[in-house]
Amino acid sequence: MKNIRGAIFDFDGTLLDSMWAWTTVASRYLKAQGVTPKDDIDARIFRMSLADASRMIREEYRLPQAAEEIQAGMNGLVEEMYRNTFELKPGVTEMILGLKESGVRMCLATASDRAIVEPALIRTGIYDYLDFVFTCSELHTDKNSPYIYNYVRSYMETPLEETLVFEDAYHAIRTAKGAGFAVAAVYDATEEENQPAIRQLADFYLETPVQWRKILTGLESRSNFVYSPLLYHSAHLS
């Protein structure tokens, strides 16, 4: 990677400290319906889009609700927290502002639904700095496929070799890397067991978004780095 012209951000676990709320959402929804969940249901849906998870839950548990109703029900369990509680991870606002000032195009690519994501983006003050928000449900995909990353990059019209993906989840990092993207991994506790593999796979590793300037410093130190005064300025802000 020579330069950053485009950034594709995951939301939950990467920018927003919210992944912990999704670790039990399926079992909580089923219990609310009077259904006893299987022990592995939360782990199995954790890597899916909410739309796919809802269809699977409906079929497996033979629920009378339509998949769309199940999806809305699971969203409802966390919606209040998106609107009022969840906070950005430390350093996210500074990172977004720094990249914006450097002329980097930025989009969100999230497995969560627009109805809960946009209120959190607006409340935390970063919505207006993004070019667009893309969701897996609306694109009928998940992050086991590179489709969303390729779609977003095409929208931004940035070269693959100058587009950086920010992710916290191992499966998503693996997908983006397999599609040829450089990846900045952001630590999240829900991926604790995958940290050794994530560190090995990612191009950049951030224990917290506060460390985002490590990316610019790393690019600057490479012999093929295309020098950008704006990027240099951001990298050396005190």
Side-chain angles (χ1 to χ4, degrees), residues 62-204:
R62 299 185 179 182
L63 298 181
Q65 298 93 330
E68 292 78 11
E69 186 177 349
I70 295 170
Q71 183 172 342
M74 288 197 289
N75 273 331
L77 291 174
V78 295
E79 183 174 7
E80 185 278 333
M81 288 184 279
Y82 278 86
R83 291 186 178 277
N84 300 304
T85 306
F86 291 144
E87 296 296 339
L88 296 175
K89 288 189 166 184
V92 165
T93 300
E94 180 187 18
M95 175 174 67
I96 295 290
L97 290 174
L99 293 175
K100 188 70 173 181
E101 290 173 358
S102 299
V104 176
R105 298 203 68 182
M106 293 180 289
C107 285
L108 204 71
T110 177
S112 296
D113 287 347
R114 184 178 302 277
I116 60 174
V117 165
E118 287 191 340
L121 287 169
I122 293 168
R123 175 176 59 84
T124 56
I126 62 172
Y127 182 81
D128 289 338
Y129 296 102
L130 301 171
D131 289 82
F132 203 76
V133 174
F134 295 90
T135 73
C136 286
S137 293
E138 291 171 348
L139 293 177
H140 307 289
T141 189
D142 61 31
K143 290 187 176 179
N144 292 305
S145 163
Y147 181 78
I148 192 167
Y149 303 116
N150 291 328
Y151 192 95
V152 175
R153 186 190 68 79
S154 177
Y155 172 86
M156 294 192 300
E157 298 182 327
T158 54
L160 176 62
E161 65 274 13
E162 296 182 344
T163 305
L164 183 61
V165 173
F166 290 77
E167 282 280 2
D168 67 293
Y170 174 65
H171 75 289
I173 292 168
R174 183 179 58 194
T175 298
K177 285 292 294 180
F181 288 90
V183 175
V186 179
Y187 172 81
D188 191 78
T190 59
E191 291 285 329
E192 182 65 43
E193 66 181 20
N194 292 321
Q195 290 310 304
I198 288 172
R199 283 179 178 271
Q200 184 174 12
L201 189 58
D203 298 273
F204 306 97

Side-chain angles (χ1 to χ4, degrees), residues 18 25 32 70 107 208 211:
S18 55
V25 70
I70 295 170
C107 285
T208 166
Q211 299 173 327

